[in-house]
Amino acid sequence: QSQELSHVRIDYHAALLALQEQGTRMVCTGKMHTDRICRFDYLCYCTEAEEFIFFHSNSSVMLPNLGPRRFQPALLDLSSVEDHNTQYFNFLELPAAALKYMPKPVFVPDVTLILNRFNADNLMHIFHDDLLPIFYTMQQYTDLDDEARLVFMEGWGEGSHFDLYRLLSSKQPLLKEHLRNFGKLMCFTKSYVGLSKMTTWYQYGFVQPQGPKANILVSGNEIRQFASFIMDRLNITPEERPKGDDYIVVFSRGSNRLILNEAELLLALAQEYKMRTVTVSLEEQTFASIIKLISEASMLVSMHGAQLITSMFLPRGAAVIELFPYAVHPEQYTPYKTLASLPGMDLQYIAWRNNIKENTVAYPDRPWDQGGITHLEKEEQERILASKEVPRHLCCRNPEWLFRIYQDTIVDIPSFLEVIRDGLKVKPNLKKSKPANVIHPGRVRQPKCQTSVQATHEAKLSVSWQIPWNLKYLKVREVKYEVWIQEQGENTYMPYILPQQNYTFSENIKPFTTYLVWVRCIFNKNLLGPFADVLICKT
Ligand code: UDP
């Protein structure tokens, strides 16, 4: 494999002079190490010391200039996994004058994105932690274009799906081990360090048991645009399927966590839905051919596992059926449920779990990382064998969890069919849902209040407003308005929902009192707009 850096020649002498005179320049986004991405001119890397180097000169720039806080705990996260202490980035500092005594630098002319992959042997991690964040980090900085160079610093080999990383740019990605081949000192002419975490939806349980991230910022729209990009790069063109040629994909695993009665499951699905069924596995088909099949499927059925990340390639309206082995609670392991349930992802999600102990096949004698438990104390082994459910736990080496998740399963067909019948609200794929881009109401316009005093204990407060400016361009099923009235100085307010654009309040309105009034628009019961500026109304 050639690791030639570029066909673009750079003026070596000019680059060296610039580095010596200007040193390194860094400007970052983000207030915290967990949300920071930095852009560098002339960031260098010493392959012997395995350290990045910032060269100080009179014109170098370091923003933020954190002083020693740069080590508390780090400048930034190199992977998209939040605050993981094996994924920190920092640099060593040197005066630019030290260059005189150092090996001659090799310049990397490409605009480079420097990052850590989190787990390049697991398809779910590859997509969630690396490919999606790289794709959207590249969208954020326009000079990270198709010619950009990716540099993976986590220190591993290519991993099991390196071809997927190659799809992101036309240049061969570099691994840490490749950097040595270029010399002792490399300098990246222009580079970005770190990854956007905007697209991640799952946390793996390092500090609290795994689950959806607290503040998910991505919707199905961005996932689908990324999926289309990947399909495009894999030369997969989505086709409208001829009527009546719908099918179900069963994604099976070839080496562990098996479905032991796969043939029976396929037959039951075919009979129930009057559709063809197809099985795929990463051991049997190419990734591209699997994605092509999934992208036109009505339903994807699979054991819990990384292969389910391919559900992002399903068409809108399709169903995802995730199977869980005995003693594993589906609600505690929800990366794929969370993905399917992202707003605008438009997938139906159903979990089935094996509740019948006789239908599970466990492997206590396997190595610990494949779920074996014979290395544990006898009592602990017995407790695990007797347990009906894995208790909540942290990542990543809980032996009871590994033991249970690596079981094979005979799927009980009646309970399986019952769970999907109950769960599928509409027939899969028949809901030809439109790409529903959610549009929120604007502020109501020209809010006004008028007041009058009727008697010593009676007053009226009339509030009126105009429709939000964007409403005239939209077809909205139901438009309502919410009005909050608060007596000045009080903590509570009275909320009202109204269909019209004006209303006269007389209940609970006192004379000679100041009221604060907020008005906002609501589309279709739950799409809230912003409040207009507060009205101050004196009776
Ligand atoms: N894998 C596979 N077939 C198997 C078992 C695993 O293709 O029989 C793949 C799986 O999709 C993932 C990787 O191997 O990309 C690691 O699997 P592991 O069981 O460690 O992770 P999990 O699937 O539980 O996330």
Side-chain angles (χ1 to χ4, degrees), residues 106-340:
V106 173
F107 289 96
V108 180
D110 317 311
V111 182
T112 303
L113 176 59
I114 299 170
L115 64 117
N116 278 5
R117 298 175 299 167
F118 191 69
N119 179 353
D121 285 322
N122 180 302
L123 203 57
M124 189 280 174
H125 286 283
I126 291 171
F127 274 90
H128 177 270
D129 310 341
D130 307 339
L131 298 175
L132 265 159
I134 293 170
F135 179 76
Y136 279 108
T137 303
M138 291 175 73
Q139 303 258 304
Q140 187 169 349
Y141 301 103
T142 49
D143 48 351
L144 288 173
D145 55 16
D146 192 53
E147 312 269 276
R149 178 79 66 178
L150 301 174
V151 177
F152 303 144
M153 290 307 297
E154 76 292 328
W156 293 331
E158 293 191 344
S160 49
H161 294 277
F162 201 61
D163 281 343
L164 292 175
Y165 295 92
R166 288 195 181 98
L167 302 177
L168 294 169
S169 105
S170 61
K171 301 241 164 86
Q172 169 78 358
L174 296 177
L175 300 175
K176 185 176 172 187
E177 66 190 39
H178 293 150
L179 300 185
R180 290 181 177 280
N181 306 343
F182 297 111
K184 291 186 171 153
L185 186 62
M186 296 181 75
C187 293
F188 299 94
T189 311
K190 279 193 173 130
S191 61
Y192 291 85
V193 181
L195 280 181
S196 166
K197 297 184 174 79
M198 218 75 93
T199 58
T200 57
W201 63 85
Y202 208 69
Q203 62 85 10
Y204 300 123
F206 297 109
V207 288
Q208 50 168 303
Q210 62 171 276
K213 280 198 350 184
N215 187 12
I216 294 177
L217 301 172
V218 68
S219 80
N221 177 48
E222 291 72 38
I223 304 289
R224 288 191 178 283
Q225 288 194 33
F226 162 80
S228 315
F229 168 86
I230 294 291
M231 290 191 17
D232 196 54
R233 290 281 159 111
L234 291 171
N235 289 322
I236 301 170
T237 36
E239 290 158 37
E240 270 292 304
R241 297 210 59 75
K243 260 206 166 58
D245 190 25
D246 297 336
Y247 61 90
I248 297 171
V249 173
V250 175
F251 207 141
S252 66
R253 295 168 60 108
S255 57
N256 55 42
R257 210 175 299 153
L258 308 179
I259 300 170
L260 293 170
N261 57 337
E262 207 170 272
E264 198 187 352
L265 182 76
L266 290 166
L267 195 66
L269 282 165
Q271 284 176 347
E272 174 83 6
Y273 290 99
K274 309 275 178 280
M275 284 185 208
R276 323 190 258 129
T277 52
V278 197
T279 37
V280 297
S281 78
L282 292 166
E283 289 86 355
E284 301 283 328
Q285 279 98 348
T286 64
F287 187 76
S289 68
I290 292 174
I291 297 309
K292 163 87 177 150
L293 269 170
I294 288 179
S295 71
E296 294 169 20
S298 299
M299 193 187 286
L300 176 62
V301 181
S302 173
M303 270 291 157
H304 172 80
Q307 67 287 345
L308 263 172
I309 196 66
T310 56
S311 58
M312 73 169 65
F313 296 95
L314 282 166
R316 288 173 192 278
V320 181
I321 322 290
E322 182 172 14
L323 313 176
F324 289 84
Y326 181 76
V328 178
H329 195 312
E331 278 306 306
Q332 281 159 29
Y333 311 96
T334 56
Y336 314 110
K337 179 187 179 178
T338 307
L339 169 62

Side-chain angles (χ1 to χ4, degrees), residues 27-32 35-38 63-64 140-141:
V27 183
C28 309
T29 62
K31 275 190 177 161
M32 309 260 296
D35 61 7
R36 188 165 292 142
I37 296 176
C38 294
L63 253 186
Q140 187 169 349
Y141 301 103

Side-chain angles (χ1 to χ4, degrees), residues 356-376:
I356 305 172
K357 196 165 188 178
E358 294 70 49
N359 282 354
T360 198
V361 178
Y363 295 94
D365 300 326
R366 282 185 179 168
W368 72 268
D369 57 341
Q370 292 164 44
I373 52 169
T374 45
H375 63 289
L376 301 173

